[in-house]
Amino acid sequence: MSTQIPTLEQLHALNPVQQPTYADTDLLNRVTAELRKRPPLVFAGECDELRGKLADVAAGRAFILQGGDCAETFDTGTAIDIRGKLRVLLSMAVVLTYAAQVPVVKLGRLAGQYAKPRSNDTETRGGVVLPAYRGDAVNGLDFTEQSRRHDPNRLMEVYNHSAATLNLIRAFVTGGFADLRAVHSWNQDFVRNSGVEVRYESMADEIERALAFMVACGVDKEAFRTVDFYSSHEALVLPYEHAMTRIDSRTDTPYNTSAHMVWIGERTRQVDGAHVQFARHLRNPIGVKIGPSMTGDEVVALADALDPQHEPGRLTLISRMGAGKVRTALPPLVRAVEATGRSVAWVCDPMHGNTFETANGYKTRAFSQVVDEMNGFFDVHEELGTWPGGVHMELTGDDVTECVGGVADALAEADLPNRYETACDPRLNRNQSLELAFLIAERLTDGRIKRTNPVQEYRVEDF
């Protein structure tokens, strides 16, 4: 791995897409110069630790739960908001860990997910044309000329808010908030009060008995109290990501210290484009979103660019096909990558391929389609004999009304205006997220029955 990364000038020469257009380049240079002096948000050793866990995912010995906001905002990055999202993710992780009987790698779309790619550069309302909202990292949501101006100062705000979010998350996951027994009690409340199916009650009861058994056996209580939690976001705004890259003193290799893992989106994954050329030099674990238009040759070319050494844990491929396409579009891509002999983590994003607009003008997703794509993802990997390594979701801990459907809430299109609060894409609320976790758990349980558990192969000790 080279100690050199391309300069921003070299990256800009590749005509990167989905970038802000800053009128004041001198201000941008001052902001990025200040960011280069700031302490890292994450540490290289933590990124290495995550890469090792993702290698376990690629080998079928762990499962990824990646979730959080579609786009974080400066206004909603409160302690209550962060706690709510963390609580949902930890609740889901308990169910998935029990079902898969392997560790669940917990990755938040948190502490850096402030920028979003957009289909159009502009937005028109009432004959007024302004720049599209590209996330708080770039401009504001309010439809005014001043708010929509691309402002480099916002990159410093991204750093400050990300640092505060990571601080709070670290306190939560090591200070008792993530205690396994408390998290399970949240799931029991969900099962009792949401009107979901009886089979979920049975699984909750099984987990309860398993926890009681561990306590009775004297399992170290500290093992219940703390969890590992990692940050991730789309590495979209190159001036920020480049400014946050540091050379690790231990290995003389570059790490993007803005997050433990960064991913490249469906719109920026050109193999000869600036985002891939930047990410290929990083030592972080790297994710790539892959959609239904991609061919086997294209995904192999991306894998060759980003994972030339075939290093387990280096590359995570996040499919976002759409419920109607996943069963036909995904298999050739899996076959093509598997044929190279490399070990990658396969993750399903069942959200981004299933967005539509309702008659009353709301962008939404149907819970049934999210579930269908998730099932299709599992069907493909079952058929090919590969490991369905994880799920990537947009969710919140609040009782929002942004996605229709779900047994617990049964939200209809008419309910969407009640609490439609997202800054960009519709998110699953707490009940929908937990319901999906139980549905995924059923697929993992089936998969576990059909294979030897790679983590806990018990052997009788002969004394």
Side-chain angles (χ1 to χ4, degrees):
M1 179 73 70
S2 168
T3 61
Q4 299 298 313
I5 61 170
T7 64
L8 264 181
E9 290 72 25
Q10 289 171 323
L11 293 175
H12 286 146
L14 298 174
N15 297 314
V17 295
Q18 299 287 337
Q19 295 303 287
T21 52
Y22 296 118
D24 190 340
T25 54
D26 288 339
L27 176 58
L28 173 64
N29 292 335
R30 290 196 298 273
V31 169
T32 53
E34 177 61 29
L35 282 170
R36 293 183 195 283
K37 297 184 217 172
R38 291 293 177 99
L41 294 175
V42 303
F43 302 106
E46 295 172 332
C47 299
D48 294 342
E49 184 182 80
L50 175 59
R51 193 170 58 250
K53 293 184 178 184
L54 296 179
D56 285 338
V57 174
R61 296 193 300 266
F63 188 83
I64 295 171
L65 173 62
Q66 187 173 16
D69 255 321
C70 65
E72 294 175 280
T73 66
F74 299 154
D75 289 340
T76 60
T78 64
I80 292 174
D81 180 75
I82 295 163
R83 183 181 65 185
K85 283 193 278 282
L86 186 60
R87 175 171 167 164
V88 170
L89 287 167
L90 294 174
S91 298
M92 296 175 72
V94 171
V95 176
L96 298 178
T97 303
Y98 181 79
Q101 296 286 288
V102 297
V104 170
V105 181
K106 291 165 278 293
L107 265 171
R109 284 175 62 109
L110 292 166
Q113 185 58 19
Y114 288 99
K116 291 290 288 185
R118 302 313 300 261
S119 301
N120 299 303
D121 288 336
T122 60
E123 180 183 355
T124 303
R125 296 186 195 176
V128 177
V129 181
L130 292 176
Y133 173 64
R134 290 186 170 273
D136 276 16
V138 178
N139 56 1
L141 186 59
D142 291 342
F143 194 73
T144 66
E145 186 173 351
Q146 181 179 1
S147 174
R148 292 297 176 91
R149 181 173 55 87
H150 294 188
D151 182 1
N153 285 312
R154 286 176 168 270
L155 299 181
M156 191 60 67
E157 286 297 300
V158 169
Y159 175 89
N160 293 336
H161 280 82
S162 297
T165 299
L166 280 170
N167 250 358
L168 188 60
I169 289 172
R170 286 185 168 117
F172 275 143
V173 299
T174 60
F177 178 79
D179 189 292
L180 193 57
R181 292 156 294 189
V183 173
H184 177 60
S185 72
W186 303 335
N187 286 342
Q188 286 179 312
D189 289 342
F190 163 74
V191 170
R192 278 196 301 264
N193 300 324
S194 61
V196 293
E197 299 185 35
V198 173
R199 65 185 190 270
Y200 300 160
E201 295 182 17
S202 175
M203 183 173 291
D205 289 342
E206 286 182 35
I207 297 172
E208 174 79 11
R209 290 179 60 82
L211 287 171
F213 175 75
M214 287 189 284
V215 171
C217 289
V219 172
D220 181 10
K221 289 183 180 179
E222 196 58 32
F224 286 129
R225 285 180 51 80
T226 62
V227 298
D228 293 325
F229 193 91
Y230 301 94
S231 65
S232 66
H233 65 257
E234 180 177 356
L236 184 61
V237 180
L238 288 173
Y240 179 78
E241 306 299 338
H242 195 277
M244 290 303 298
T245 300
R246 311 280 189 269
I247 303 300
D248 176 35
S249 60
R250 308 165 307 156
T251 60
D252 286 330
T253 53
Y255 286 78
N256 183 340
T257 65
S258 69
H260 298 105
M261 172 188 175
V262 292
W263 75 81
I264 301 167
E266 169 79 350
R267 292 183 175 95
T268 54
R269 59 169 173 74
Q270 300 83 9
V271 71
D272 57 352
H275 290 83
V276 171
Q277 295 308 309
F278 169 64
R280 69 186 299 178
H281 291 85
L282 301 176
R283 195 72 186 101
N284 306 63
I286 302 296
V288 182
K289 293 284 191 79
I290 55 174
S293 66
M294 183 170 255
T295 67
D297 288 343
E298 287 173 333
V299 75
V300 168
L302 267 175
D304 287 342
L306 294 168
D307 179 32
Q309 304 301 321
H310 291 214
E311 180 185 10
R314 163 68 175 175
L315 186 59
T316 297
L317 296 176
I318 308 165
S319 70
R320 33 98 71 227
M321 301 292 172
K325 298 178 180 177
V326 63
R327 291 172 177 84
T328 54
L330 183 58
L333 306 187
V334 176
R335 290 192 190 99
V337 173
E338 292 293 313
T340 68
R342 59 171 41 88
S343 182
V344 306
W346 291 99
V347 171
C348 177
D349 170 359
M351 307 291 292
H352 284 89
N354 297 302
T355 306
F356 64 96
E357 187 170 318
T358 65
N360 55 354
Y362 285 87
K363 185 196 293 188
T364 190
R365 290 156 177 159
F367 185 77
S368 58
Q369 289 184 312
V370 171
V371 172
D372 189 26
E373 178 159 358
M374 194 74 238
N375 279 325
F377 175 77
F378 274 88
D379 291 343
V380 167
H381 285 285
E382 269 189 21
E383 180 183 342
L384 298 180
T386 46
W387 174 239
V391 60
H392 179 118
M393 300 164 54
E394 290 185 336
L395 56 81
T396 177
D398 299 327
D399 296 325
V400 298
T401 55
E402 297 172 2
C403 294
V404 295
V407 173
D409 292 333
L411 294 178
E413 291 185 12
D415 298 316
L416 295 178
N418 295 342
R419 284 196 64 180
Y420 195 94
E421 300 174 1
T422 181
C424 194
D425 291 334
R427 305 159 295 175
L428 299 178
N429 63 28
R430 174 177 177 261
N431 283 346
Q432 290 167 329
S433 300
L434 287 173
E435 188 175 338
L436 185 61
F438 277 98
L439 289 168
I440 297 170
E442 290 184 332
R443 294 302 301 259
L444 288 169
T445 302
D446 291 343
R448 174 164 54 86
I449 291 171
K450 295 174 183 175
R451 69 185 191 130
T452 302
N453 188 297
V455 177
Q456 302 179 52
E457 295 182 44
Y458 294 107
R459 293 178 177 85
V460 176
E461 294 289 342
D462 185 357
F463 296 102

